[in-house]
Amino acid sequence: MIRHPSRDRLCGALAALLCLWVAPRALADVRLDVRTDRTRLSLDETLTLQINVEAQGMGRPRVELPTFDGFQVVSQQVQQPMQFSLNFGSQAVVQSSTIYILGLQPVREGTLVIKPVRAEFDGQVKTSRPIEIVVTGSGGSGNSPGRNAQAPQATGPDPRGARAQPGRRDTVDSAEIDSMAFLRTVVDKAEPYEGEQVTVTIYLYSRERLQAAPDIATEPTTDGLWTHDLLPPNQAFRPDRQVVGNSVYAVYVLRRFAAFPLHAGDITVGPMALEIDTTSLFDMFAPGRARPNLKRSSAPVTLKVKPLPAADRPPGEIAVGRYQVSAKLDRTQVVTGDAVTLTAVVEGQGNIRTVQLKAPKVPGIEFLQPDIKDLVEAPNDLVSGRREYRWLLLAREPGRLTIPALSIATFDPRAERYEMRASPPLVLEAMGQARAPSDARVPQPELRDAAHPEGLERHDWAPIRTQSKLIRSPQRLVETGWFGWALAAPLVLWLAVVSFAGVRRRLSARADAGAARALRGAELRLRAAERAAAAGDSAAFYAHASAAISGILDARLEEPVAGLTRPQLRALLQARGMEQDLIDSVVQTLQDCEFARFGSAPLSSSELGSQAQALNAFFRRLATFKPMQPGDRPEAA
Amino acid sequence: MRALAALILLTLGLSAAPVRAQSLERIFSAANEAYFRGDYRKAADGYQRLVEAKVQDPDVYFNFGLAQARLGAFGAAVLSFERCLFLRAGDDAAEGELAALRAMLGGRRAEREGEATVQARPPLSHALVRPLSADLLAWLVLLSNALLFGVLLVRPRIGAETWRLGLAIGASLLALLCASSALGLALKTDVFQDGEAVIVLRDQSELREGPDPKAQVRGTVREGDAARALGRQGQFVEVRSASGNRGWIDRRDVGFIRPH
């Protein structure tokens, strides 16, 4: 392929020129704003007409001023500030503004019309709306805008002048002029009726275009007012331009809301306070220049709310506004006992949320609690809406049932008169036998089942009980006073028995222990006697033998016998059940031991040994003796 | 003369009791008739009068619960059925209606919030003792306790090993029966729980930081929920809900299961 360098360069240049020519056209935009400072004046007064034309793009817009029929132009001013915007990374954008300020004096009375202004720029044409001006006779209109002493001095038109409504009452305008920035509060009605909409707008006037929205330190208080915001949620922070005195201000709308006074009397819209960031791009070129942020607050505005007129006032609640009422049934024929839906709608201008519609009382029809849905709008900054009521009706009786008109009493603040708004009456035909109350009276939860089949199940309630003992103040067994005692008694009894048996065993063991000790002692004596016999010691043998016999008797009888005389011992042994020959043997042996111990000649070892064996045998015989219990024996002599 | 006056007064006093009883029966009958006619409001009022006259009868509470359920007062109906079961455990009809009420309440919440616990399972221990009355368990404890110690007393005096072995086994079983009955009775009488059982009567009742209508709201409890009342102060009751939330609630928004 053959390339031609020169042709390529020519194409590139043409393309660049085309871009330069197309891009501004793509960015071209024109805005037109026309406003007056008032809409009512007298023949000897002058109104100020301000025309703002802003264009973005190369060149200047062309503005066609209309002929001012009925007016005489007494002054004219034209300002044409220009502004360049440099956006890094893209090309420069030029903004130009043309501001016409005309002083117009009416030449006749009546309603005069300022015809539309036409602005043309780069193929775009913008036209303003016509503005109606009411001119009254000389001597003062009596309807000059309500201003306080600090209001802007005549040259600042009402920013809402372009959308002013004919026949509107005087506005309230409050501002403290400042050379740098100030807040202005405008209320479109100074003396509204209770419940009538007033529109409150708060403007920020700034000599410099702000880079960002200011920080709101304090929102205006609205005690006694029901408010509805009129600004869209994501409104762009773009200013209008307005001349106040000889200065051009950038005007920002900070707040606009509809307010409905809730009671008569003085109601104040409190001040708003904010802080404006004054840093700018050019501060980088003057680092030593310190500019504090600006703090401004608006002046409070007081409304004088009038009560609704007493004359011809209908009884009950009054809905302030302009409303219509409609109603319909989802069906006009129903089986007796079934449900139908009555839908009533109240719609119109005003604070729809305060509208109350009550269900009528109709014999044979039961009205259940309604569902209420609201839809609130604000086209052209006038709050309006729709409130829908949905009642579920039960036809309890057969026949032709008439639902009377649903009505509300309204007050039109514009016409200043009361009106009754009502829907037409409705007819419902219920057919079939009236059902038993228990069948017809469907509980609400089950009715909701009908509306929501995926919800609750129908439940067949159990029958009631026709018999009852009508017990009064029953007391549980566990709460009676004797329950605790009855529970503890077996335990206490068992513990008592076990303890008693334990004590008896201990006592018995102690007694056994004494007897065992005595028996051991006796056996020791026996061993000693045997040792003495082996050693050939007669005296010792007989002494130990006597002690052994006494010891074994002590062990068996469990009482000492050493101090008893022979007759006493004999009597004791008899009383304890000892056999007579054994008693004689015991007594005789003890005597022989004493005699042999103190009086007889010593025996030989062999003789002592045989004596020891006889003693041992006698000892064993006594050890097997089981005496009778002491309680069983007669008193010893 | 004085004797005659005393006799007259005595006669009047003796006759007052049956007259009052007849009045209660008349109120009960009238309330039932109103229920049959479909006038549930009047029926509920009649049962309420009986309750205010200190009638604590499970059948009255059963009918009361039905009337309240018909009127849509599900929380109050739950309370009435719980009282019926408190006075007569194991009442199958009351259990059934209570289960249906809780299902309805759960369905309401599901419609409103998207999901709800229709029926929370009670602990196994409570489920085991629920059909048994407190009196039955008390009698079981008394009898098994007495028999147990009787066996313990007799056994040491029995010589035959077979009998001794049998008595030992019997004593073990009796001890087990006594212990389980005592445990069931303790569960039944809420020995292991603090406070008193209550039922929330109003849906989304506020739980507040303190016993003050201006105190900050901590949370809410729902109609029909069970809770424990931990204390009272003025018009408020401190409760702990089943989910553990604790706070002060208006006394009119809860009902004590145990009739006072």
Side-chain angles (χ1 to χ4, degrees):
Chain A
M1 180 178 170
I2 299 173
R3 292 178 64 88
H4 296 272
S6 59
R7 190 164 64 185
D8 290 341
R9 281 196 291 274
L10 178 60
C11 289
L14 284 174
L17 282 172
L18 184 65
C19 287
L20 283 175
W21 181 70
V22 168
R25 293 181 69 85
L27 294 171
D29 184 27
V30 62
R31 290 171 57 205
L32 174 63
D33 185 39
V34 179
R35 56 190 65 177
T36 59
D37 63 339
R38 63 180 74 189
T39 57
R40 295 175 69 93
L41 71 164
S42 62
L43 275 175
D44 53 358
E45 289 178 318
T46 303
L47 71 86
T48 302
L49 174 68
Q50 179 173 313
I51 303 169
N52 287 354
V53 182
E54 288 189 1
Q56 184 171 294
M58 302 300 290
R60 286 197 175 276
R62 191 167 70 88
V63 179
E64 288 183 18
L65 297 178
T67 57
F68 298 104
D69 297 333
F71 291 97
Q72 179 183 2
V73 179
V74 297
S75 67
Q76 182 168 339
Q77 215 178 69
V78 180
Q79 297 178 0
Q80 293 179 326
M82 288 191 74
Q83 183 173 353
F84 292 87
S85 296
L86 297 174
N87 297 320
F88 294 103
S90 65
Q91 62 191 88
V93 175
V94 178
Q95 280 185 325
S96 62
S97 298
T98 307
I99 303 174
Y100 294 85
I101 302 173
L102 297 98
L104 302 176
Q105 187 171 19
V107 298
R108 64 173 186 271
E109 294 179 20
T111 302
L112 307 178
V113 176
I114 298 175
K115 293 177 184 173
V117 176
R118 190 167 181 275
E120 184 179 342
F121 179 70
D122 204 11
Q124 293 188 42
V125 177
K126 292 288 175 71
T127 309
S128 69
R129 299 179 193 170
I131 302 173
E132 284 189 2
I133 305 294
V134 176
V135 180
T136 59
S138 60
S141 66
N143 287 313
S144 57
R147 295 169 188 261
N148 61 18
Q150 297 166 319
Q153 297 295 318
T155 56
D158 184 347
R160 298 188 66 225
R163 294 188 292 277
Q165 297 178 12
R168 208 178 56 191
R169 286 195 284 276
D170 302 330
T171 61
V172 177
D173 198 334
S174 168
E176 297 178 6
I177 305 295
D178 185 283
S179 60
M180 292 300 296
F182 62 91
L183 288 167
R184 180 186 182 190
T185 305
V186 177
V187 180
D188 65 344
K189 292 184 185 66
E191 297 181 3
Y193 280 105
E194 178 184 346
E196 181 185 3
Q197 177 183 338
V198 296
T199 304
V200 180
T201 310
I202 301 177
Y203 299 95
L204 169 63
Y205 284 66
S206 172
R207 287 299 307 277
E208 296 179 1
R209 195 183 177 95
L210 301 180
Q211 301 299 320
D215 292 327
I216 307 298
T218 307
E219 292 285 349
T221 57
T222 54
D223 296 336
L225 297 168
W226 187 93
T227 61
H228 178 88
D229 203 3
L230 296 175
L231 291 178
N234 296 319
Q235 173 162 302
F237 192 64
R238 291 177 62 184
D240 290 331
R241 288 194 174 276
Q242 188 173 340
V243 174
V244 180
N246 292 320
S247 304
V248 178
Y249 288 82
V251 181
Y252 299 87
V253 177
L254 295 181
R255 295 287 183 271
R256 177 175 290 145
F257 54 88
F260 297 86
L262 300 176
H263 57 80
D266 289 351
I267 297 179
T268 300
V269 177
M272 167 185 267
L274 51 78
E275 186 169 337
I276 302 170
D277 184 4
T278 59
T279 57
S280 73
L281 180 64
F282 296 99
D283 286 347
M284 73 169 76
F285 301 108
R289 177 186 176 204
R291 294 194 299 174
N293 289 345
L294 295 177
K295 293 183 181 179
R296 296 288 183 270
S297 64
S298 64
V301 172
T302 299
L303 306 175
K304 296 194 179 302
V305 181
K306 299 183 294 188
L308 298 180
D312 300 328
R313 177 170 178 159
E317 294 288 328
I318 307 292
V320 179
R322 304 166 77 181
Y323 298 104
Q324 298 294 331
V325 181
S326 61
K328 65 177 181 181
L329 289 167
D330 63 341
R331 48 187 173 145
T332 56
Q333 291 180 338
V334 68
V335 175
T336 306
D338 278 1
V340 297
T341 302
L342 169 64
T343 303
V345 175
V346 180
E347 53 189 342
Q349 283 183 1
N351 190 2
I352 195 70
R353 290 200 176 98
T354 61
V355 171
Q356 298 290 334
L357 198 59
K358 292 185 179 175
K361 291 193 187 303
V362 181
I365 295 181
E366 181 182 352
F367 284 74
L368 301 181
Q369 289 296 322
D371 284 335
I372 303 174
K373 290 182 184 174
D374 289 338
L375 176 64
V376 181
E377 304 172 309
N380 298 323
D381 290 344
L382 279 177
V383 174
S384 59
R386 185 172 188 272
R387 169 164 273 200
E388 181 181 281
Y389 290 79
R390 287 168 63 90
W391 284 279
L392 213 55
L393 311 183
L394 293 176
R396 299 282 294 274
E397 296 174 0
R400 190 180 173 85
L401 307 169
T402 300
I403 300 171
L406 300 173
S407 62
I408 56 172
T410 69
F411 176 77
D412 186 344
R414 282 191 191 177
E416 295 185 321
R417 67 168 182 261
Y418 293 98
E419 292 173 355
M420 291 299 295
R421 299 291 182 191
S423 64
L426 301 170
V427 175
L428 177 65
E429 287 193 22
M431 296 167 290
Q433 292 294 329
R435 295 184 189 178
S438 59
D439 293 334
R441 190 182 181 86
V442 181
Q444 289 193 19
E446 297 179 15
L447 279 177
R448 284 202 284 273
D449 294 346
H452 301 90
E454 68 280 5
L456 308 169
E457 301 173 358
R458 295 188 69 88
H459 178 68
D460 292 326
W461 297 104
I464 58 170
R465 295 168 181 174
T466 55
Q467 301 292 328
S468 172
K469 295 177 184 174
L470 300 176
I471 302 169
R472 298 182 66 204
S473 304
Q475 192 179 28
R476 292 208 233 177
L477 177 62
V478 71
E479 296 163 356
T480 56
W482 58 268
F483 179 78
W485 294 110
L487 194 63
L491 173 65
V492 170
L493 181 63
W494 178 75
L495 282 175
V497 169
V498 167
S499 301
F500 181 72
V503 168
R504 275 188 65 180
R505 273 197 300 274
R506 286 177 69 87
L507 289 174
S508 170
R510 192 176 299 168
D512 289 343
R517 203 164 36 244
L519 182 60
R520 277 199 302 276
E523 288 190 351
L524 288 175
R525 289 286 187 173
L526 181 64
R527 297 290 172 265
E530 289 173 351
R531 286 195 297 273
D537 188 347
S538 303
F541 169 75
Y542 287 112
H544 288 305
S546 175
I549 292 171
S550 296
I552 191 62
L553 286 174
D554 288 346
R556 299 312 303 166
L557 298 176
E558 296 181 357
E559 59 182 300
V561 302
L564 296 177
T565 61
R566 295 293 174 266
Q568 288 174 341
L569 178 61
R570 196 177 284 274
L572 175 61
L573 292 175
Q574 278 179 347
R576 299 299 293 272
M578 186 177 279
E579 296 169 356
Q580 191 58 45
D581 59 338
L582 186 58
I583 293 175
D584 294 338
S585 299
V586 167
V587 172
Q588 188 61 49
T589 303
L590 285 174
Q591 279 181 346
D592 292 343
C593 287
E594 287 178 9
F595 181 74
R597 180 181 174 191
F598 295 107
S600 63
L603 298 176
S604 62
S605 296
S606 59
E607 288 172 342
L608 284 174
S610 63
Q611 290 288 323
Q613 288 177 358
L615 175 64
N616 197 333
F618 188 65
F619 187 90
R620 297 297 165 212
R621 186 181 173 196
L622 287 175
T624 60
F625 165 65
K626 288 185 181 178
M628 289 163 52
Q629 293 302 320
D632 297 336
R633 66 169 177 166
E635 285 294 326
Chain B
M1 193 62 187
R2 287 181 191 171
L4 180 61
L7 183 61
I8 292 172
L9 284 172
L10 182 63
T11 307
L12 286 174
L14 287 174
S15 62
V19 168
R20 188 182 175 88
Q22 288 175 5
S23 299
L24 294 176
E25 286 176 359
R26 202 163 35 224
I27 295 172
F28 183 66
S29 299
N32 288 347
E33 286 171 13
Y35 186 95
F36 286 130
R37 285 199 313 271
D39 192 347
Y40 302 118
R41 170 56 58 193
K42 191 171 180 181
D45 290 342
Y47 300 130
Q48 178 68 34
R49 284 182 62 195
L50 290 173
V51 170
E52 289 169 357
K54 308 291 184 197
V55 172
Q56 301 294 333
D57 190 274
D59 297 318
V60 171
Y61 277 115
F62 183 84
N63 291 359
F64 199 4
L66 286 175
Q68 289 165 327
R70 292 280 196 173
L71 292 171
F74 286 176
V78 167
L79 176 65
S80 294
F81 284 121
E82 287 282 7
R83 284 179 170 173
C84 173
L85 290 167
F86 176 85
L87 294 167
R88 183 189 295 149
D91 189 327
D92 292 336
E95 292 274 12
E97 298 308 312
L98 191 57
L101 273 173
R102 293 206 186 277
M104 288 182 185
L105 282 168
R108 267 189 191 175
R109 290 170 204 165
E111 283 187 3
R112 194 172 57 223
E113 301 165 21
E115 62 176 335
T117 302
V118 175
Q119 184 177 1
R121 290 188 177 180
L124 178 62
S125 55
H126 285 84
L128 287 174
V129 301
R130 192 169 174 85
L132 303 173
S133 68
D135 285 351
L136 174 62
L137 290 169
W139 279 115
L140 276 175
V141 169
L142 281 179
L143 289 175
S144 58
N145 181 60
L147 284 173
L148 170 64
F149 287 107
V151 166
L152 291 177
L153 282 174
V154 166
R155 185 172 175 272
R157 288 154 182 78
I158 301 295
E161 275 303 316
T162 309
W163 281 98
R164 288 171 65 87
L165 181 62
L167 286 175
I169 295 172
S172 305
L173 293 176
L174 284 169
L176 187 62
L177 178 63
C178 184
S180 54
S181 301
L183 181 62
L185 184 61
L187 288 171
K188 200 75 177 173
T189 53
D190 291 338
V191 165
F192 302 120
Q193 296 207 47
D194 48 357
E196 287 187 66
V198 296
I199 296 292
V200 178
L201 300 177
R202 184 174 66 88
D203 201 22
Q204 302 295 327
S205 298
E206 296 90 8
L207 284 178
R208 299 187 179 273
E209 291 273 350
D212 192 316
K214 298 176 191 169
Q216 188 174 356
V217 176
R218 272 183 185 169
T220 56
V221 284
R222 296 166 175 163
E223 182 184 16
D225 279 357
R228 305 294 300 184
L230 305 175
R232 300 187 202 188
Q233 190 168 336
Q235 189 62 24
F236 285 83
V237 175
E238 187 181 14
V239 299
R240 186 182 62 239
S241 68
S243 57
N245 290 340
R246 193 163 169 164
W248 293 85
I249 189 171
D250 194 310
R251 196 178 185 286
R252 292 167 293 185
D253 292 337
V254 292
F256 287 82
I257 291 179
R258 182 196 176 90
H260 286 201

